[in-house]
Amino acid sequence: MNKELTQAIASEIQLFQNIEQKENFLFLLGALLAKVISLKKAAEVMQLEPAELLKILDLMGIEFSYLCEEDVALEKSW
């Protein structure tokens, strides 16, 4: 995906003020849904509390389930 397309998509997200935060959110959203990182790690990167990030996901209608134990081990090695 090219930079212009990524920025165009990110600019449509009204949750964050600057384009970098919006791009980070899109990247982390993909990583969360692919179960590459945990909610806690994603919240840390976004400088949010996990409960705040979970609320944002809920408000957006994005269903999120927590990682299983095997996935936690994978995240620790990431």
Side-chain angles (χ1 to χ4, degrees), residues 31-60:
L32 276 171
L33 297 177
K35 295 187 175 187
V36 176
I37 63 171
S38 68
L39 181 73
K40 182 178 179 183
K41 184 58 112 179
E44 179 184 316
V45 172
M46 291 301 301
Q47 298 178 336
L48 297 169
E49 291 297 319
E52 293 173 315
L53 181 55
L54 194 55
K55 184 171 183 162
I56 290 169
L57 295 176
D58 186 49
L59 290 171
M60 294 178 74

Side-chain angles (χ1 to χ4, degrees), residues 32 35 63-67:
L32 276 171
K35 295 187 175 187
E63 291 186 25
F64 177 76
S65 60
Y66 291 95
L67 299 173

Side-chain angles (χ1 to χ4, degrees), residues 9 13 25 29-30 34 36 50 52 58:
I9 293 168
I13 299 172
F25 179 72
L29 182 59
V36 176
E52 293 173 315
D58 186 49

Side-chain angles (χ1 to χ4, degrees), residues 1-16 18-20 22-24 26:
M1 187 177 288
N2 66 34
K3 187 73 171 170
E4 290 94 21
L5 180 57
T6 303
Q7 288 180 340
I9 293 168
S11 68
E12 295 298 317
I13 299 172
Q14 302 300 316
L15 296 171
F16 302 101
N18 66 50
I19 196 76
E20 184 178 316
K22 294 174 183 191
E23 288 177 336
N24 282 342
L26 287 176

